[in-house]
Amino acid sequence: MSFPTPLVTRFAPSPTGLLHLGHAYSALFASAAVRSNGRFLLRIEDIDRGRCRPEFETALMEDLAWLGLEWERPPRRQSEHMDDYREAIGRLAARDLIYPCFCTRKEILAEIAGMGSAPHGPDGPLYPGTCRHLSGERRRRRLEEGDPFALRLDIRRAIAATGPLSWTDRGRGTVEAAPHIFGDVVLARKDTPASYHLAVSVDDHLQGVTLVCRGEDLFPSTHVHRLLQALLGLDTPEYHHHPLIAGEDGQRLAKRTHAPTLRSLREGGATPEDIRRRLGFSGPG
Ligand code: GLU
């Protein structure tokens, strides 16, 4: 007799502000995906210590509980797992797939301006690869001098190491991975052992996530996550990138478009059921 494998999904907010309706949609979407057969996890993405605040973490858990969501305790807090990310970086370094980049933002922009036409990726112009060509001696000297640096993935070597990759998206079917669109993406910095891309790939694996539900805005990032999974021997979950919901003015709901926070809606008298109905998730779960 065979039993269906339970789905494991997660909601992974960064505690940099109060949750708004867009977050509520994403959390409800993920929770609904596993309602009858699966586990719903919470991950606090607090690697960026400068922008994350404990009070926002407390607030987001209160808001999710108020909405009626239940997640497995305790949540995974990225700031408590820096060693996991360091270990992953160490493995990439051992295979010579990453290199330190000492360029400042200003230097990168100047270099790009001098190039005339520079290829662009989802986050803007691609890094021109300046530090990829530094000699071993020069690298060593700059590291010894204590210069700040970012660790970049040598995307060409990485792709050559894995060959073609794909993943399954519930909305789009089989997607061929195209990680080169990000160029030599940053995976860590001198004082931060992981970028978003690295931490998410490692965490989804370690948390046993089998279905990643998240907004369409993160769809391009999955190209890089798929590559990191292959390089690091991590499991590849299924994905479901959901459409982003728009406010009454048609604008995408986000912090910068002043989407209403769950807190303000609640203070204005909205009930959890009102929010669920407004977002199309009526009923328990
Ligand atoms: N922490 C990310 C965000 O708040 C979400 C990451 C993910 O779901 O992969 O946008």
Side-chain angles (χ1 to χ4, degrees):
M1 194 186 273
S2 72
F3 296 96
T5 325
L7 289 172
V8 183
T9 193
R10 72 341 182 244
F11 177 56
S14 303
T16 56
L18 290 170
L19 295 188
H20 55 66
L21 271 182
H23 293 114
Y25 181 82
S26 210
L28 289 166
F29 185 94
S31 157
V34 296
R35 188 181 297 158
S36 55
N37 170 36
R39 299 165 52 202
F40 177 60
L41 311 179
L42 177 65
R43 183 164 72 231
I44 307 295
E45 303 221 318
D46 61 348
I47 284 214
D48 187 345
R49 305 305 286 153
R51 292 177 60 226
C52 295
R53 303 260 160 73
E55 56 271 29
F56 288 134
E57 180 185 317
T58 308
L60 76 86
M61 291 203 214
E62 278 171 17
D63 289 348
L64 294 174
W66 174 76
L67 257 185
L69 288 166
E70 283 175 26
W71 59 93
E72 285 184 19
R73 319 268 164 151
R76 180 175 168 99
R77 200 171 283 113
Q78 289 184 327
S79 56
E80 293 171 355
H81 298 276
M82 297 303 194
D83 284 348
D84 292 336
Y85 313 129
R86 276 193 201 101
E87 193 264 344
I89 284 290
R91 284 200 281 141
L92 296 172
R95 292 172 65 189
D96 207 13
L97 293 171
I98 51 177
Y99 63 88
C101 165
F102 304 95
C103 298
T104 62
R105 238 183 123 66
K106 220 166 130 191
E107 284 164 351
I108 296 175
L109 290 176
E111 170 112 14
I112 288 168
M115 286 164 65
S117 79
H120 274 61
D123 294 338
L126 299 189
Y127 176 63
T130 324
C131 286
R132 198 191 317 123
H133 308 295
L134 284 186
S135 68
E137 173 53 29
R138 183 121 185 79
R139 252 180 214 166
R140 222 175 2 261
R141 204 154 0 106
R142 294 204 65 171
L143 290 172
E144 275 166 19
E145 281 162 8
D147 288 352
F149 61 86
L151 289 172
R152 291 184 181 272
L153 184 64
D154 185 328
I155 198 77
R156 270 176 291 189
R157 289 177 69 100
I159 290 173
T162 66
L165 300 166
S166 62
W167 79 83
T168 306
D169 192 293
R170 286 195 172 184
R172 307 186 190 211
T174 303
V175 182
E176 305 298 329
H180 63 274
I181 59 173
F182 282 91
D184 286 0
V185 73
V186 170
L187 293 187
R189 293 187 189 279
K190 186 180 176 190
D191 303 312
T192 315
S195 67
Y196 160 69
H197 295 305
L198 183 80
V200 162
S201 307
V202 169
D203 288 343
D204 283 334
H205 173 80
L206 292 179
Q207 288 191 287
V209 170
T210 61
L211 174 65
V212 170
C213 295
R214 61 184 174 202
E216 179 89 335
D217 52 334
L218 290 170
F219 176 81
S221 300
T222 308
H223 291 292
V224 176
H225 303 175
R226 181 67 192 90
L227 177 65
L228 291 173
Q229 288 156 8
L231 293 171
L232 292 164
L234 311 175
D235 294 333
T236 302
E238 198 183 347
Y239 287 85
H240 198 168
H241 294 93
H242 60 72
L244 300 177
I245 54 164
E248 272 142 25
D249 57 0
Q251 281 234 60
R252 180 193 143 192
L253 289 180
K255 199 156 69 172
R256 53 170 193 284
T257 58
H258 306 293
T261 63
L262 291 179
R263 221 137 260 241
S264 64
L265 293 164
R266 171 174 154 191
E267 282 159 13
T271 66
E273 190 46 38
D274 293 334
I275 307 283
R276 284 169 174 269
R277 210 173 315 112
R278 179 163 169 187
L279 296 174
F281 294 96
S282 293

